[in-house]
Amino acid sequence: MKRIAILGSTGSIGTQALEVIEANPDSFELEVITAHSNADLLIAQALAFKPNAVVIANEDLYDKVRDALQHEDIKVYAGANALNSVVEMGTVDMVLTAMVGYAGLQPTIRAIQAGKEIALANKETLVVAGQLITELAREKGVNIYPVDSEHSAIFQCLAGEFHNPIEKIILTASGGPFRGRSAAELQQVTKAQALKHPNWDMGAKITIDSASLMNKGLEVIEAKWLFGLRNDQIEVVVHPQSIIHSLVQFEDGSIKAQLGLPDMKLPIQYAMGYPNRLKSSFPRFNFLDYPQLTFEQPDLNTFRNLQLAFNAMEQGGNMPCILNAANEVAVSSFLRDEVGFLEMSDIIESCMAKVAYIANPSLEDYVNTDREARLRSTELVKR
Ligand code: NDP
Ligand code: MG
């Protein structure tokens, strides 16, 4: 029985993780759930699952959550600091980091410091501070299990192969809703179009990142740290059907792939249940429904965010942190109709050129870099 804390239980990954827990009562127990602003859903989840503790990060909503749960034996906390504390609770075995963005960094660090296993959905954490996080995890003997479907695929391909060196990995990308479009066409695209992903139903931020291919760029950096790879060992191929979730090539030239219908519940369950494959009733894949699986080069000239992410990884240091902060500002500005789709890349590129580079950042450097990059990119939005 694993006792789970879910950071971001009200989101796309969080709600699917709750479905996995509900379907596997003999394997998982829910200890903690947290949300930012969706107090109604957090309350409903708390009443249904009776966790030990809940956190509402938005402190203005504390009274509402506390009042709604006053007759339950559930501790209610509020604020960002409470997120850092609940992950340390003695009754928690594993923390599923399913909150979005840089906000996941501090609680993930605290969970690792407390020796908790991590099921990592919050890829921004590894993009911002991959070196620091992976070194800390090694020092504490903590395993980080990937939830991202591509990284789960690679992890699944590596089962039984951990002593065999990887030659390279190939991350698949759907290409998003704008695959094949020219830069001129992208000039005109709307928020509503960008929010319509062909294969996956996800939170707004990652859906925009998927449309701009920044999601794949973040995943390249995430993979580097998760699997300890050199930059030249990571490739991206566009695979519009999203059936092959990613591939590993070994030193004898053999390639292993993991396949399945696009459904995040499988990688969530694999991360939480590792090393076991729990029986599930997820829909099964049928090859005859997909007579063609196709592959293309990503278009790095049109989808500049992917190139910018490769550049940031190449430069290392705090550059991926700058990229991430600028991207978070750019995406939320795009979602507020303040900038166009292509302007997001302009903001990120300018910000990468403006914020001071630090080759070997400390945690404090990351915090300062994130703050400065947000200020700079917000100025760029207003221009
Ligand atoms: P959602 O936007 O659907 O959910 C985000 C969750 O985080 C919500 O519970 C939200 O609370 C909470 N949250 C947001 N901001 C804060 C904050 N500042 N402090 C505390 N909690 C916060 O995102 P997704 O579920 O789509 O994605 C979560 C993470 O998983 C991301 O890093 C994403 O890249 C990654 N991921 C997602 C996939 C997917 O299929 N969705 C696939 C692979 C990776 P509330 O809603 O209450 O405001
Ligand atoms: Mg992914």
Side-chain angles (χ1 to χ4, degrees):
M1 183 66 95
K2 251 184 227 171
R3 297 165 300 178
I4 312 275
I6 303 179
L7 304 182
S9 63
T10 50
S12 159
I13 294 287
T15 49
Q16 294 181 84
L18 287 176
E19 288 179 45
V20 168
I21 290 176
E22 193 169 25
N24 296 281
D26 297 336
S27 301
F28 308 118
E29 203 175 295
L30 187 66
E31 271 298 307
V32 177
I33 49 177
T34 82
H36 186 265
S37 302
N38 194 343
D40 291 330
L41 183 55
L42 184 72
I43 291 164
Q45 291 175 340
L47 292 171
F49 286 86
K50 317 267 187 212
N52 199 342
V54 306
V55 178
I56 184 85
N58 180 345
E59 297 183 31
D60 297 341
L61 296 167
Y62 172 71
D63 290 350
K64 177 175 180 171
V65 178
R66 185 204 51 202
D67 292 352
L69 300 179
Q70 60 179 327
H71 301 300
E72 306 294 326
D73 186 16
I74 300 173
K75 300 179 198 77
V76 179
Y77 306 105
N81 276 333
L83 295 174
N84 294 333
S85 315
V86 285
V87 297
E88 297 174 341
M89 282 171 39
T91 48
V92 170
D93 300 314
M94 173 180 260
V95 177
L96 170 64
T97 65
M99 48 201 278
V100 61
Y102 173 86
L105 179 65
Q106 296 283 0
T108 305
I109 291 176
R110 293 284 285 267
I112 297 172
Q113 280 169 336
K116 310 300 183 186
E117 287 190 306
I118 305 291
L120 185 117
N122 178 242
K123 65 190 84 182
E124 293 91 344
T125 292
L126 277 189
V127 171
V128 167
Q131 180 148 12
L132 188 147
I133 296 276
T134 47
E135 276 170 12
L136 184 64
R138 207 169 305 125
E139 184 191 315
K140 296 284 171 190
V142 161
N143 291 321
I144 300 179
Y145 300 106
V147 169
D148 217 340
S149 58
E150 295 77 1
H151 306 72
S152 176
I154 290 163
F155 187 54
Q156 292 180 55
C157 292
L158 290 175
E161 305 272 11
F162 290 107
H163 60 291
N164 286 324
I166 296 171
E167 191 165 86
K168 68 173 183 186
I169 64 164
I170 303 157
L171 293 175
T172 52
S174 71
F178 304 138
R179 183 174 59 89
R181 302 254 184 126
S182 66
E185 289 168 321
L186 289 182
Q187 204 89 46
Q188 311 300 332
V189 298
T190 63
K191 176 171 87 180
Q193 292 170 313
L195 282 171
K196 267 206 178 72
H197 195 280
N199 304 337
W200 298 96
D201 183 11
M202 311 177 285
K205 195 256 176 183
I206 184 174
T207 305
I208 300 303
D209 284 345
S210 298
S212 72
L213 292 202
M214 179 55 93
N215 182 50
K216 210 49 52 181
L218 300 179
E219 290 183 354
V220 165
I221 303 173
E222 180 187 15
K224 173 189 170 75
W225 296 113
L226 276 174
F227 304 112
L229 301 170
R230 296 188 314 273
N231 298 345
D232 64 353
Q233 288 177 295
I234 310 169
E235 280 180 20
V236 172
V237 67
V238 173
H239 165 48
Q241 296 81 20
S242 297
I243 295 300
I244 299 182
H245 297 309
S246 279
L247 314 90
V248 181
Q249 182 171 311
F250 294 94
E251 290 188 326
D252 60 356
S254 177
I255 296 180
K256 282 168 93 174
Q258 188 262 338
L259 285 71
L261 292 171
D263 180 351
M264 283 309 295
K265 286 205 284 290
L266 188 122
I268 293 169
Q269 177 171 298
Y270 190 74
M272 293 196 328
Y274 184 86
N276 301 317
R277 288 192 181 274
L278 304 173
K279 203 173 163 66
S280 88
S281 56
F282 307 148
R284 275 21 181 185
F285 171 69
N286 178 356
F287 274 94
L288 302 182
D289 294 339
Y290 290 83
Q292 288 202 356
L293 298 179
T294 61
F295 306 92
E296 302 164 13
Q297 274 296 352
D299 179 353
L300 297 178
N301 295 320
T302 307
F303 294 89
R304 283 162 54 213
N305 280 0
L306 179 53
Q307 182 63 56
L308 291 170
F310 275 116
N311 297 351
M313 177 170 73
E314 211 52 62
Q315 292 168 65
N318 64 340
M319 199 51 84
C321 176
I322 300 172
L323 170 98
N324 177 70
N327 181 58
E328 287 191 26
V329 171
V331 170
S332 38
S333 306
F334 177 72
L335 287 171
R336 287 193 304 266
D337 295 313
E338 291 167 4
V339 299
F341 188 77
L342 293 178
E343 275 173 276
M344 291 195 286
S345 307
D346 299 334
I347 292 166
I348 298 160
E349 189 169 24
S350 308
C351 193
M352 284 169 68
K354 285 197 166 102
V355 177
Y357 176 73
I358 304 172
N360 291 301
S362 63
L363 178 56
E364 197 188 343
D365 291 329
Y366 285 125
V367 172
N368 292 334
T369 298
D370 177 76
R371 187 184 311 121
E372 195 193 334
R374 275 168 208 276
L375 283 173
R376 290 283 187 163
S377 21
T378 307
E379 285 165 18
L380 290 161
V381 169
K382 289 192 178 133
R383 201 168 283 170

